[in-house]
Amino acid sequence: QVHLVESGGGLVQPGGSLRLSCTASGINFRLYTMNWYRQATGKQRELVANILYNGSTNYLDSVKGRFTISRDNIRNRVFLEMNSLRPEDTGAYYCNVQYRGSPFWGRGTQVTVSS
């Protein structure tokens, strides 16, 4: 059974930083692309960043240069380092993996950027 658990969200002032973590179980972690999505109130969920099995990364244009995704294949974790945070980065952040044709999601962690 695939299980994803996010942590690290919180309230931060504009310009601040947070580091999100997602721990995965139930999959051979090192073989899969891991994704971070976010959803703001009243908006669609959007892909923020992903990291492939080989370490290649992709980012939403609006977070390029500010966010960094990384993975630890020993501890089955994926991280999202978020710097220079803006109010528009506010939302629930979700870890995701596509496994055997189906999407699996964590419960999310809330990020609020506000002064």
Side-chain angles (χ1 to χ4, degrees):
Q1 181 178 359
V2 180
H3 195 50
L4 303 172
V5 179
E6 303 96 337
S7 62
L11 172 64
V12 63
Q13 292 188 342
S17 299
L18 284 173
R19 187 184 193 226
L20 306 184
S21 177
C22 169
T23 301
S25 60
I27 60 172
N28 192 345
F29 180 82
R30 63 185 180 87
L31 298 181
Y32 291 90
T33 295
M34 298 300 299
N35 306 298
W36 281 102
Y37 283 78
R38 70 184 178 191
Q39 187 168 21
T41 303
K43 295 188 177 181
Q44 287 190 330
R45 194 169 293 191
E46 63 182 354
L47 178 63
V48 176
N50 65 16
I51 184 165
L52 278 61
Y53 72 98
N54 62 2
S56 297
T57 58
N58 298 286
Y59 296 94
L60 182 68
D61 282 348
S62 63
V63 309
K64 285 180 181 176
R66 301 188 297 121
F67 291 11
T68 302
I69 189 170
S70 60
R71 65 191 299 158
D72 180 346
N73 288 340
I74 303 298
R75 295 174 178 80
N76 290 0
R77 292 180 182 171
V78 59
F79 305 98
L80 188 67
E81 184 77 33
M82 305 186 296
N83 299 312
S84 301
L85 282 161
R86 305 168 180 169
E88 54 264 39
D89 295 318
T90 294
Y93 283 68
Y94 299 91
C95 185
N96 163 274
V97 65
Q98 287 285 130
Y99 177 70
R100 293 185 178 178
S102 297
F104 289 86
W105 300 90
R107 296 182 68 178
T109 185
Q110 179 67 31
V111 171
T112 302
V113 185
S114 175
S115 55

